[in-house]
Amino acid sequence: MTHPSAPPDDGRPDPDLSALMSERRQLIGLGYRLLGSLADAEDVVQETYARWYAMSPRQREAIDSPAAWLTRVAGRICLDVLGSARARRERYVGEWIPEPLPDHGELVGGRPGGVPPDPADRVTLDESITMAFLVVLESMTPAERVAFVLHDVFGYPFAEVAEIVGRTPAACRQLATSARRRVRHAQTPAPPADRHAGLVRAFKEAWESKDIAALIGVLAPDVTATGDGGGLVTAAPHPVRGAEPVARFFADRAGALPDLVISECTVNGRPGLVAEQDGLAVSVMAFDVADDRITHIWAVLNPDKLRPWTAS
């Protein structure tokens, strides 16, 4: 894990250091939502702090709100990264899924000063960390994604968003409206947490027993299962669709890996599963649920994306 660059040692204490460091959690949360990768988010925060300390003391003193400056710079860096990420993901082996998080607590941020997002139609911070939400964000253009996350998730006014995106406030409003439409089209009402957990538990038990009929019973007829091995480990190259094909796929996988230990856990704030071999996480699964059935399964097998799980 990277850490913010330390200020130059000129013999003078930096009275704003603690305030600056307190913004790190907010910036990591912003970067993760925009990039879908904790490692990339940490790199963005590292670069943001490096740019801050590359300025002279006089330049830093002239900035009225260091927190706002840090957010603007981080947002612009994320916008650049998103532009290049599209080309990188075209070369990615297999399907690309956002990096799963063991616990969303460190990434629940908000606008500096504790000002919450105000309109009722905005997504909550908890919703903005789920795998289903992050996957929808992946369908957006970089500008849509930045405008939407900054405004609808973190509550930044469009005048400030415009400075980051490099467009007019009116244009940013249109970007957020377009993004919001995508989210509303894709979202389904979230079931009670205990029901979501119960379906995941039923899936786990049926998977462990290789009970195809029981698996089909908890899956929606049009369920989609997507795996991400990144070319580093074996994963289905394309999504598997349909209750019976998905059930047979997982039953076959359970038979091929008899020493797999499957545990219930929290993935991006929602009930999920982690599969371990010899004490190491080899797969983390996130689930989306609607109408009392599992509609989506995202299985991350790429070991580079499982480092937080191995370390935890």
Side-chain angles (χ1 to χ4, degrees), residues 98-213:
E99 180 181 331
L101 293 179
D103 191 307
H104 73 293
E106 285 302 306
L107 295 181
V108 175
R111 184 160 168 72
V115 180
D118 45 334
D121 64 348
R122 288 181 179 164
V123 297
T124 69
L125 289 168
D126 281 348
E127 288 172 338
S128 73
I129 211 70
T130 66
M131 189 63 73
F133 184 82
L134 293 175
V135 168
V136 175
L137 290 182
E138 283 295 311
S139 69
M140 300 179 186
T141 68
E144 277 180 331
R145 190 165 180 168
V146 172
F148 174 71
V149 169
L150 282 169
H151 180 265
D152 280 47
V153 178
F154 285 88
Y156 279 81
F158 284 118
E160 293 182 30
V161 175
E163 294 182 34
I164 297 170
V165 179
R167 305 195 188 187
T168 66
C172 289
R173 186 182 300 276
Q174 288 300 316
L175 288 170
T177 298
S178 174
R180 199 176 299 125
R181 192 178 301 119
R182 292 178 190 251
V183 171
R184 287 175 176 162
H185 178 74
Q187 275 186 328
T188 55
D194 59 346
R195 183 55 188 154
H196 191 136
L199 286 169
V200 171
R201 184 174 303 116
F203 175 90
K204 169 183 177 291
E205 292 170 352
W207 183 19
E208 289 174 324
S209 62
K210 300 188 284 290
D211 187 335
I212 292 176

Side-chain angles (χ1 to χ4, degrees), residues 243-269:
E244 184 171 348
V246 169
R248 293 191 179 279
F249 175 84
F250 277 95
D252 290 345
R253 187 168 180 82
L257 298 169
D259 58 341
L260 208 62
V261 177
I262 306 166
S263 304
E264 296 176 48
C265 61
T266 298
V267 182
N268 290 63

Side-chain angles (χ1 to χ4, degrees), residues 154 162 238 300:
F154 285 88
H238 305 290
V300 178

Side-chain angles (χ1 to χ4, degrees), residues 30 34 44 48 70-80 146 150 164:
L30 174 65
L34 290 177
V44 165
T48 300
L70 291 169
T71 298
R72 281 198 301 273
V73 171
R76 288 170 183 159
I77 296 173
C78 285
L79 193 58
D80 292 340
V146 172
L150 282 169
I164 297 170

